[in-house]
């Protein structure tokens, strides 16, 4: 309840906040926000996770981002971007570790603490995710054996979907044939 009422989770209607909780200790590690949600264009911005300095670059931070990316692409999002302060050396590491591509730099993008902030934009497309970014990150987080098991599960799910589609088409063809009789 305290987390829900925290200022960290009081966001605009186009944003959402997610707690990063360590599984074993149930300890709050940080929070990650999604902002600039644009369902019409199927794009959203992943903001850099807010974590304690000891958790920066941790497996929990990467895992939280991986889970969000995986879910967003599964929901049909086509593009996810991360916007980072050009002077934030540590902040620029995360998009690179996640497999994002640097797309450009926006000079004087924001005014932060009465100073100009240049921003670097990183992006990932659903096609990047499907063509290897997901498996690369999964392997990085959990190892090759886990990646292989995940690939087998995905293959089985795709086979079931194909079978269901063929069964549906067969039933439709039979229904058409019955109508003609």
């Amino acid at each position: 309840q305290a987390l829900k009422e925290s200022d960290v989770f009081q966001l605009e209607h186009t944003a959402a906040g997610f707690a990063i909780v360590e599984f074993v200790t149930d300890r709050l590690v940080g929070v990650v926000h999604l902002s600039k949600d644009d369902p019409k264009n199927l794009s959203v911005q992943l903001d850099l996770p807010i974590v304690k300095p000891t958790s920066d670059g941790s497996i929990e931070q990467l895992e939280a981002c991986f889970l969000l990316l995986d879910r967003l692409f599964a929901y049909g999002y086509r593009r996810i971007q991360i916007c980072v302060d050009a002077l934030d050396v540590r902040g620029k590491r995360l998009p690179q570790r996640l497999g994002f591509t640097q797309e450009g730099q926006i000079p004087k993008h924001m005014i932060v603490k009465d100073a100009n902030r240049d921003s670097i934009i990183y992006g990932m497309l659903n096609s990047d995710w499907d063509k290897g970014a997901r498996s690369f990150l999964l392997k990085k987080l959990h190892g090759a054996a886990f990646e292989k098991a995940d690939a087998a599960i995905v293959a089985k799910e795709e086979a079931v979907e194909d079978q269901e589609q063929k069964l549906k088409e067969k039933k439709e063809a039979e229904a058409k044939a019955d109508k003609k009789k």
Side-chain angles (χ1 to χ4, degrees), residues 99-171:
F100 278 72
T101 302
Q102 183 176 334
E103 296 178 334
Q105 185 165 337
I106 304 172
K108 297 184 180 181
H109 182 228
M110 298 178 183
I111 298 174
V112 179
K113 296 180 183 177
D114 296 326
N116 290 322
R117 172 189 145 168
D118 295 348
S119 295
I120 297 178
I121 305 298
Y122 296 89
M124 184 178 294
L125 304 177
N126 56 349
S127 54
D128 299 335
W129 190 249
D130 295 338
K131 288 180 183 173
R134 181 184 189 279
S135 64
F136 168 77
L137 198 50
L138 192 63
K139 186 176 180 179
K140 186 179 203 172
L141 288 167
H142 300 289
F146 191 87
E147 179 196 19
K148 187 176 179 181
D150 182 66
I153 290 168
V154 168
K156 285 180 184 178
E157 288 173 348
E158 288 174 350
V160 168
E161 287 174 8
D162 286 345
Q163 288 175 346
E164 289 173 348
Q165 182 64 30
K166 287 177 184 176
L167 185 60
K168 181 182 173 184
E169 290 170 0
K170 183 179 177 183
K171 285 182 180 180

Side-chain angles (χ1 to χ4, degrees), residues 3-11 16-19 30-33:
L3 278 177
K4 189 176 182 181
E5 295 171 2
S6 166
D7 288 340
V8 173
F9 291 100
Q10 304 304 313
L11 305 168
F18 301 89
V31 64
V32 61
H33 288 141

